[in-house]
Amino acid sequence: MSTEARYDRMLRDAALRVTRPRRAVLAAVHAHPHADAETVMTAVRRDVGAVSHQAVYDVLRALTDAGLVRRIQPPGSPARYESRVGDNHHHLVCRSCGAIADVDCAVGEAPCLTAAEHHGFEIDEAEVVYRGLCPRCAAAPVS
Amino acid sequence: MSTEARYDRMLRDAALRVTRPRRAVLAAVHAHPHADAETVMTAVRRDVGAVSHQAVYDVLRALTDAGLVRRIQPPGSPARYESRVGDNHHHLVCRSCGAIADVDCAVGEAPCLTAAEHHGFEIDEAEVVYRGLCPRCAAAPVS
DNA sequence: GGCATTTCTTGACTCGTTCCAGAATGACCG
DNA sequence: CGGTCATTCTGGAACGAGTCAAGAAATGCC
């Protein structure tokens, strides 16, 4: 099955209509892990030509709602999208360049940590963001 | 020592000039844990009258840089500020109303968790955000 | 092929935050 | 205490990221 057919299948299985922008956004998110909306937009336009920014936002939301895409919001960054869903993995974020890497969740499902004090909250997720310097920024002298 | 004198001391100890806006912002952040910039602005203006929004942003940044205030950026929320600094505590965030509560860090200093795979990153902090429903939203029927 | 619903287009708008030139002020020094 | 200098504040503009909304275009079903 071609990747295009695969994305079409994913869309249909999620009860979503199959449209060119949707195919293109799904492909872009798969091709560019942790891309922001602007990056997705650029990739989509390179792939299928003119697509409105509104359509890209709409499609990203529809795919996120359908569980085909995960939306993360690392501090200091615009929202980012990734195709790796359902395993509650965490992220490493570089303080300097913003690079993001995945970190497997030791538990594999949310919530994976227990708050010392839950203040009466019904906790259903624990998201961990590890911050530091990526190999490249750690090797470069601070300037 | 009055609270005002206490804030003046904190500012001087951090090598920051003592100005009315600065005193007021520091007081506002102490009085309103996890307040966003807008809330801080409102409190400051109620306290000392007209203060430009630029000044509030500038002061919040100066206080954060000086370590007197901590800036957090919970997903789906504007930046928030708190006076509780230095203990690497985490947060509980309500999915529904956005309420935030502190959670002590079991380790007390960063990084408090070890990533299963660090991808060559030099990790210096692990931030945990627990998400769920606060007692109030958990008790109210979804509508 | 027609129809109904959904999706996309186009442009405007909002929110939260930053930029910038110039005025005002705090702190230091004599 | 007054002068000076560097810093901070003011007022308005601007930006980035995302949302809103009316109408045109497209998908999928029958």
Side-chain angles (χ1 to χ4, degrees), chain B residues 17-19 37 53-54 57 61 71 78-79:
Chain B
R17 293 189 186 195
V18 176
T19 67
H53 82 280
Q54 185 53 52
Y57 278 99
R61 176 175 286 273
R71 180 173 196 268

Side-chain angles (χ1 to χ4, degrees), chain B residues 31-133:
Chain B
H32 304 279
H34 313 119
D36 61 11
E38 188 61 35
T39 302
V40 172
M41 212 169 307
T42 301
V44 163
R45 287 170 172 160
R46 188 176 295 131
D47 184 4
V48 297
V51 173
S52 72
H53 82 280
Q54 185 53 52
V56 173
Y57 278 99
D58 281 344
V59 173
L60 283 170
R61 176 175 286 273
L63 298 179
T64 302
D65 288 349
L68 295 182
V69 155
R70 181 180 174 189
R71 180 173 196 268
I72 62 176
Q73 288 177 269
S77 170
R80 293 179 178 281
Y81 300 84
E82 59 182 346
S83 53
R84 193 177 155 185
V85 298
D87 62 356
N88 197 43
H89 67 280
H90 304 302
H91 296 96
L92 278 161
V93 179
C94 179
R95 290 187 179 291
S96 182
C97 70
I100 300 177
D102 286 340
V103 176
D104 287 347
C105 171
V107 177
E109 64 180 7
C112 54
L113 291 172
T114 303
E117 163 56 61
H118 57 77
H119 294 281
F121 276 61
E122 289 176 8
I123 299 169
D124 50 56
E125 183 190 354
E127 177 184 351
V128 182
V129 176
Y130 298 92
R131 261 197 284 281
L133 291 180

Side-chain angles (χ1 to χ4, degrees), chain B residues 4-33:
Chain B
E4 186 171 277
R6 195 156 61 77
Y7 295 143
D8 286 6
R9 176 85 270 133
M10 288 169 77
L11 287 166
R12 290 198 178 89
D13 287 349
L16 293 173
R17 293 189 186 195
V18 176
T19 67
R20 278 188 341 125
R22 284 182 173 182
R23 276 212 205 97
V25 168
L26 200 41
V29 174
H30 273 80
H32 304 279

Side-chain angles (χ1 to χ4, degrees), chain A residues 54-125:
Chain A
Q54 184 55 51
V56 174
Y57 277 99
D58 280 346
V59 173
L60 284 170
R61 176 176 286 273
L63 298 179
T64 302
D65 288 349
L68 295 181
V69 153
R70 181 181 174 189
R71 179 173 196 269
I72 62 175
Q73 290 178 267
S77 169
R80 293 179 178 280
Y81 301 85
E82 60 183 345
S83 52
R84 192 176 154 186
V85 299
D87 61 359
N88 198 43
H89 68 279
H90 303 301
H91 297 95
L92 278 162
V93 180
C94 179
R95 295 186 176 290
S96 183
C97 70
I100 300 178
D102 286 340
V103 175
D104 288 348
C105 172
V107 178
E109 64 180 7
C112 53
L113 292 172
T114 303
E117 163 56 61
H118 58 78
H119 293 281
F121 276 60
E122 289 178 7
I123 298 169
D124 51 57
E125 183 189 354

Side-chain angles (χ1 to χ4, degrees), chain A residues 16-19 37 53-54 57 61 71 78-79:
Chain A
L16 294 174
R17 293 192 185 195
V18 176
T19 67
H53 81 283
Q54 184 55 51
Y57 277 99
R61 176 176 286 273
R71 179 173 196 269

